[in-house]
Amino acid sequence: MPAHIFIAEDETSIITLLKYNLEKESYKVSFCENGEQALKQIKDKHPDLILMDWMLPDLSGVEVCKNLKKDNKYNDIPIIMLTAKGEEEDKLRAFDTGADDYVTKPFSQKELNARIKSLLRRSKPYSSVDVVEFTDLKIDRITKRVYRNNVEISLGPTEFKLLDFFIKNPKRVYSREQLLNNVWGENIYVETRTVDVHIRRLRQAINIDKTKPLIRTVRSAGYSLES
Amino acid sequence: MPAHIFIAEDETSIITLLKYNLEKESYKVSFCENGEQALKQIKDKHPDLILMDWMLPDLSGVEVCKNLKKDNKYNDIPIIMLTAKGEEEDKLRAFDTGADDYVTKPFSQKELNARIKSLLRRSKPYSSVDVVEFTDLKIDRITKRVYRNNVEISLGPTEFKLLDFFIKNPKRVYSREQLLNNVWGENIYVETRTVDVHIRRLRQAINIDKTKPLIRTVRSAGYSLES
DNA sequence: CGGAATTGTTACAGTTTTGTTAAAAACATA
DNA sequence: TATGTTTTTAACAAAACTGTAACAATTCCG
């Protein structure tokens, strides 16, 4: 289970470099080149650590940072600010907004890696984001347990990941392709019909006392988690 | 209850400055000017954070750091290295020995304060007690003895470390890689399946009177300690 | 030194999980 | 109602994963 690092940075060359470097360290990496998108994607993907450019075209990195730190759900994600300016004022402002560390461009890859490792090591073992509830469903990512009405339910690994993904954005409809990409992985070839089968297995598992269906089929579009 | 910060630093002028500054921020401050003494006092006082000079007259800061990080009781105390050298090699070595951050002298007081705040915010609650209990299990880190229902159990060194690690965060599921990193060490090459074998040995050892299983297997994820 | 304890590796068996397929069912629309 | 499309369901074989025992290498200790 590699740590997932999110990069918000508008210089393509830096992204490329970072991505190469971090993936070599076997982190899972995703990125985004502007602030609005970054905020959205971070809330969606909930990475383990964020590398954030101090300046971003539309919504500045500082703003994104502030926004995240205000939200209980996301303020535990450590953030490293990437800043081109060496001035002290900026550094302090980075910390003030809630950043956990910063590096000044151009930075040493090795040093960055060390800082990342240090932050990941220190990040809280349990945080509110690890236990997510939706209606009578509860999923604990730390203990890998799932409950319905406080009754534990046993799920296979794929079904767990599937539910975990759905619960991040309940009510949102995902196509089979989206589910394959997010639950199975990006470069894996699996039949789209396979999703149906796992949806069935998940349904079967969470439909303890034939209450509400919870997983909705949207014909010719996909599936969603409903209350 | 203000956070207690310990300073290990041999330049009196810096100590004075730091002390003045930190007490103004209403931290409780204590200090020491050489390595041997520092190590002793740290173990005695168990501060919340340490500012450690990279070079100390007798026992270097690096050595003190290493020593602390090896000890389960103290490795959760965040350490900021104070180094006069700006060279990358030193910085990296600081992180390697387990330091959580470093600043280069001369440093900005404001920046240091920010880094301290960030580290304190992020630091774990102490797992620094000698005797830890979890359900009917008791582990004494000093005497290295383990009891179940007050009956002593004999464990090999690896099994002891394994249980000790599990008991820090009971119920949390750890992957085999995480266990290898935390119990065996970071740069050691051991097959992941070896974990299974030691889990079995630990299970065998603690399953005295066939009570509860205690160690849970989470398929495709790892193991956890359960009540 | 010699025996006991500890350690990491491997192979095998047993079980669970997974993806695929095909048939049945459900749905939408003319 | 008839028809074509989409989803549900069951069954099955392949793949993945874990538990266990046995073994050799190493360390520990009297």
Side-chain angles (χ1 to χ4, degrees):
Chain A
M1 180 190 54
H4 177 191
I5 296 181
F6 188 91
I7 307 171
E9 163 71 59
D10 65 326
E11 285 180 62
T12 319
S13 61
I14 295 189
I15 292 188
T16 314
L17 194 66
L18 280 173
K19 202 161 174 296
Y20 172 77
N21 172 262
L22 294 173
E23 280 173 349
K24 210 169 65 187
E25 297 285 321
S26 75
Y27 293 113
K28 186 186 160 201
V29 179
S30 47
F31 63 93
C32 172
E33 304 186 16
N34 69 66
E36 292 284 6
Q37 276 293 316
L39 193 55
K40 222 168 164 183
Q41 284 198 39
I42 287 166
K43 293 194 173 184
D44 186 36
K45 300 185 174 177
H46 215 299
D48 301 291
L49 186 144
I50 302 167
L51 298 177
M52 177 106 61
D53 193 4
W54 173 262
M55 289 304 294
L56 283 173
D58 52 342
L59 186 65
S60 85
V62 198
E63 291 304 317
V64 178
C65 186
K66 264 188 200 163
N67 194 310
L68 289 173
K69 289 298 169 181
K70 256 189 296 187
D71 194 331
N72 258 336
K73 248 175 109 181
Y74 308 105
N75 65 5
D76 277 338
I77 309 177
I79 298 177
I80 299 179
M81 277 284 180
L82 310 176
T83 162
K85 316 180 180 179
E87 292 90 357
E88 173 166 88
E89 272 313 302
D90 281 334
K91 293 179 181 179
L92 295 180
R93 207 128 49 86
F95 277 116
D96 269 350
T97 57
D100 299 278
D101 206 344
Y102 68 87
V103 293
T104 310
K105 292 189 259 186
F107 47 81
S108 135
Q109 286 289 352
K110 280 188 187 171
E111 182 188 338
L112 182 63
N113 285 345
R115 289 194 179 277
I116 288 173
K117 221 163 125 190
S118 169
L119 270 180
L120 286 177
R121 180 175 33 170
R122 211 149 254 296
S123 62
K124 288 186 191 164
Y126 248 104
S127 60
S128 52
V129 298
D130 294 323
V131 180
V132 186
E133 290 185 60
F134 178 68
T135 60
D136 60 354
L137 227 92
K138 186 163 78 180
I139 180 168
D140 186 331
R141 294 177 181 141
I142 298 298
T143 62
K144 309 269 178 201
R145 289 184 191 273
V146 177
Y147 305 86
R148 174 131 196 216
N149 277 324
N150 294 317
V151 179
E152 188 175 350
I153 287 162
S154 109
L155 295 182
T158 308
E159 280 72 60
F160 184 91
K161 279 182 270 178
L162 197 53
L163 180 61
D164 189 17
F165 181 69
F166 271 127
I167 217 166
K168 280 181 193 163
N169 276 93
K171 304 196 178 187
R172 175 169 168 176
V173 178
Y174 292 101
S175 71
R176 293 178 175 73
E177 277 78 14
Q178 283 179 299
L179 291 172
L180 282 175
N181 278 335
N182 286 285
V183 175
W184 275 256
E186 299 264 328
N187 293 317
I188 286 173
Y189 178 69
V190 169
E191 289 292 325
T192 54
R193 285 272 132 224
T194 301
V195 174
D196 299 28
V197 179
H198 284 277
I199 288 286
R200 166 170 159 66
R201 287 170 182 160
L202 179 56
R203 274 174 170 156
Q204 225 162 13
I206 64 181
N207 266 18
I208 290 291
D209 34 2
K210 332 157 192 168
T211 35
K212 288 153 278 172
L214 287 187
I215 293 180
R216 179 165 72 111
T217 304
V218 182
R219 204 155 215 268
S220 81
Y223 299 95
S224 71
L225 182 63
E226 300 288 325
S227 51
Chain B
M1 183 187 55
H4 178 190
I5 297 181
F6 189 91
I7 307 170
E9 164 69 60
D10 65 326
E11 287 180 61
T12 319
S13 62
I14 295 189
I15 291 189
T16 315
L17 194 67
L18 279 174
K19 203 160 171 299
Y20 172 76
N21 174 260
L22 293 174
E23 281 174 349
K24 209 170 65 185
E25 297 284 321
S26 75
Y27 293 114
K28 184 186 158 200
V29 179
S30 47
F31 63 95
C32 172
E33 304 186 17
N34 70 67
E36 294 284 4
Q37 275 294 318
L39 194 53
K40 224 168 166 183
Q41 286 197 37
I42 287 166
K43 292 194 175 184
D44 186 34
K45 301 185 176 179
H46 213 299
D48 301 290
L49 186 142
I50 302 167
L51 297 177
M52 176 107 59
D53 194 6
W54 174 260
M55 289 304 293
L56 284 172
D58 53 341
L59 184 65
S60 86
V62 199
E63 291 305 319
V64 178
C65 185
K66 263 190 200 161
N67 194 309
L68 290 173
K69 289 297 169 180
K70 255 191 294 189
D71 195 328
N72 259 337
K73 244 178 107 180
Y74 308 105
N75 64 5
D76 278 337
I77 308 177
I79 298 177
I80 300 179
M81 277 284 181
L82 310 176
T83 163
K85 316 180 180 177
E87 291 91 359
E88 172 164 272
E89 272 313 302
D90 281 333
K91 295 178 181 181
L92 295 179
R93 211 131 44 89
F95 278 117
D96 269 351
T97 57
D100 299 279
D101 205 346
Y102 67 87
V103 293
T104 310
K105 291 190 263 186
F107 46 82
S108 134
Q109 286 289 352
K110 280 188 186 173
E111 182 186 336
L112 182 62
N113 284 345
R115 289 193 181 277
I116 287 172
K117 222 163 122 191
S118 168
L119 270 179
L120 283 177
R121 182 174 33 171
R122 235 166 226 292
S123 67
K124 292 182 197 168
Y126 292 139
S127 56
S128 58
V129 265
D130 296 333
V131 180
V132 188
E133 291 187 57
F134 178 68
T135 60
D136 59 354
L137 233 101
K138 188 162 75 181
I139 178 169
D140 186 330
R141 291 176 179 152
I142 300 296
T143 62
K144 307 274 176 200
R145 285 178 196 275
V146 177
Y147 305 86
R148 175 135 195 213
N149 277 326
N150 295 318
V151 179
E152 187 175 349
I153 286 162
S154 106
L155 293 183
T158 309
E159 280 71 59
F160 182 89
K161 277 183 272 177
L162 197 54
L163 182 61
D164 188 22
F165 180 68
F166 270 128
I167 219 167
K168 271 191 199 166
N169 278 96
K171 303 194 179 192
R172 180 179 183 131
V173 177
Y174 292 102
S175 70
R176 294 178 174 72
E177 277 79 13
Q178 284 178 300
L179 292 172
L180 283 175
N181 278 334
N182 287 284
V183 175
W184 276 257
E186 297 264 329
N187 293 317
I188 287 174
Y189 178 68
V190 169
E191 288 293 325
T192 55
R193 295 297 261 95
T194 300
V195 174
D196 297 29
V197 179
H198 284 276
I199 287 287
R200 165 167 161 69
R201 288 170 182 160
L202 179 56
R203 273 174 172 156
Q204 226 162 11
I206 65 181
N207 265 18
I208 290 292
D209 34 1
K210 332 158 192 165
T211 35
K212 288 155 280 172
L214 285 188
I215 293 179
R216 176 167 75 117
T217 304
V218 181
R219 207 153 214 270
S220 87
Y223 299 95
S224 69
L225 180 63
E226 301 288 323
S227 51

